[in-house]
Structure formats: structure tokens, C-alpha cells
Amino acid sequence: MECVVQGIIETQHVEALEILLQGICGVHRDRLRVHEICLKNNPNLGNVASEVRLLCDLELPEPTWTVKHLGGAMRGAGAEQISVLVRSMVESKVSKNALRLFNALGYKLDHELLRVGFAFHFQRGAQITVTVSSVNKMLKLHATDEAVPVTPGIQLVEVTAPASSENYTEVASAVSSFCEYLAPLLHLSKPGVSTGVVPTAAAAAVSLMSDDFPRTQPE
Ligand SMILES: *[C@@H]1O[C@H](CO)[C@@H](O)[C@H](O)[C@H]1NC(C)=O
């Protein structure tokens, strides 16, 4: 399982977010350029609809593919109360001919995306991953060089942490308290709950950027 929250930020404030994240986690960012192929199978008799994503990080020296299946959100009173979505998630490395395999199994291309940005991985009460990326669509099949933004000027921020049925409350509260640090720049909530951009973002970005200013100036 994993705990997840999402939000959006205007591209002009992404640099300030990066400075903030760098300050909080004390690690360097990893660049990200992920080709994502979303596949769906045709539900027919005795077969439920399902969706898998094939992901390839094009930033790695040797492109490796991963298959990811996102399950439904956890339900019940406990899940309603927390501000973080808890869902099942299965991820596995696959060989580069996985697309052919899934096609043979009856999965068809639904859409494909290219996510370009960066990620921070760190430990803060849970193994937290923050990704900040622009989401692009391809004009031609698999043409990652000719991708155009889906929402120009807006980037997607996602915070995830691995969890289990034993520790999800602990992980969810670690994720929530981490999100409070980012509150001046962006609002994070369960995926599907749209919250828009934060009105304080511009002012917060200015102050973050000016705090950083002396370090980038030659002495
Ligand atoms: C919660 O459980 C998951 C899955 O076993 C594990 O990866 C993660 O590190 C655990 N997190 C904490 C904070 O114990």
C-alpha cells in the first residue's frame, strides 16, 4: 500500500519549492523524465476492467521499465478521517518488451504521458518521495521528443510513502505533517480533490528566493 497526496503549483514558483524541499530534506533532487504508458483491458465476461501503467525513466543511463498497478482507495471511517489517500499499489520491474506482453494479454493503449521534473527521496517519519513534474502528452505514438504540456504553466506535485495495513496511520500522519511545511506554496490533498493554487504562493516564493539570494551571489 501507499499513502498519497497531490497538489498543483505554477511553474514560476517551482524553483522556490525546490529550495524549500532542499532545505527540509537536506538531500539533492533527482531529475525525472518518465515515459508513462497507460493500458486498459476490455472488460468482458468473467473479466473485470483493469488498468496498468508501464513506466520508463528516460533520465537513467540505462532505461528500465516498471509496471505499476494502482488499486482502489481504502474505505471506511478510519480512511475518511485522514487527509491522505491510502491505496494499494503493486510495482515490479519488467523487461522492455512488456508492452508486447500486455498487448497479448488483451491490454490496449489508453493514453501515454511524459512527466518531466524532479524528485526528492528522504526519510521523515516515513520513506517520503516528492515528485514535481510537468505533464506532457505525445503528438505521435511514443514520440517522447515531441511532447507538449497538458496544462501549460502548471506542474503536478505528488507526495507518496510506502505503507502497510499495520502502519498506515503512522505513515499518513508523517505525510500530513510534512505537507504542512509546504502549505505556504501549495495545498496538498487526496488525488481527485481539486484544490487549485494557493493565494500565498507568490509572496512565499519571493521570501524563499530572497533567503537563497546571498548564497548564489559571489562574495
Ligand atoms: C510501513 O510499512 C511499509 C511496508 O511494509 C514499509 O515499507 C514502510 O517502511 C513502513 N513505514 C514505517 C514508517 O514504518
Side-chain angles (χ1 to χ4, degrees):
M1 299 207 298
E2 68 174 6
C3 288
V4 57
V5 285
Q6 286 180 345
I8 55 170
I9 188 166
E10 289 174 277
T11 301
Q12 58 193 355
H13 301 142
V14 164
E15 200 183 336
L17 177 61
E18 191 186 331
I19 290 168
L20 181 59
L21 287 168
Q22 171 96 55
I24 297 170
C25 25
V27 292
H28 284 286
R29 61 169 205 173
D30 293 323
R31 281 147 73 74
L32 203 83
R33 199 174 142 80
V34 177
H35 183 190
E36 176 173 324
I37 300 176
C38 183
L39 303 166
K40 284 187 181 166
N41 71 348
N42 293 335
N44 46 35
L45 276 180
N47 205 351
V48 289
S50 99
E51 184 182 309
V52 295
R53 287 150 211 260
L54 293 177
L55 307 165
C56 183
D57 191 344
L58 303 174
E59 200 61 54
L60 296 175
E62 192 72 10
T64 49
W65 287 88
T66 302
V67 60
K68 192 170 183 175
H69 172 76
L70 296 177
M74 200 175 72
R75 294 189 203 179
E80 296 298 316
Q81 276 160 18
I82 52 178
S83 56
V84 169
L85 184 81
V86 185
R87 66 185 173 197
S88 65
M89 192 272 287
V90 184
E91 201 174 30
S92 173
K93 287 223 178 335
V94 284
S95 61
K96 61 176 186 291
N97 59 5
L99 183 56
R100 245 183 296 152
L101 170 69
F102 278 98
N103 284 337
L105 289 171
Y107 284 83
K108 299 234 160 31
L109 176 72
D110 185 66
H111 63 272
E112 59 179 343
L113 298 170
L114 179 73
R115 296 180 192 271
V116 182
F118 56 86
F120 283 92
H121 306 276
F122 55 96
Q123 183 75 34
R124 201 180 174 91
Q127 292 160 251
I128 298 180
T129 295
V130 182
T131 62
V132 182
S133 61
S134 71
V135 180
N136 301 275
K137 61 182 177 207
M138 261 70 94
L139 298 176
K140 278 188 260 161
L141 190 67
H142 307 328
T144 50
D145 297 337
E146 294 173 55
V148 294
V150 175
T151 51
I154 297 282
Q155 304 214 4
L156 181 71
V157 182
E158 195 173 68
V159 181
T160 58
S164 68
S165 51
E166 281 79 41
N167 71 13
Y168 75 88
T169 38
E170 190 191 327
V171 173
S173 72
V175 169
S176 306
S177 49
F178 169 73
C179 291
E180 285 171 29
Y181 288 100
L182 309 185
L185 278 177
L186 83 156
H187 187 71
L188 292 150
S189 57
K190 295 182 184 184
V193 181
S194 92
T195 47
V197 295
V198 171
T200 53
V206 167
S207 92
L208 279 161
M209 301 295 282
S210 63
D211 283 346
D212 187 57
F213 196 57
R215 283 193 274 131
T216 59
Q217 288 293 298
E219 296 293 316

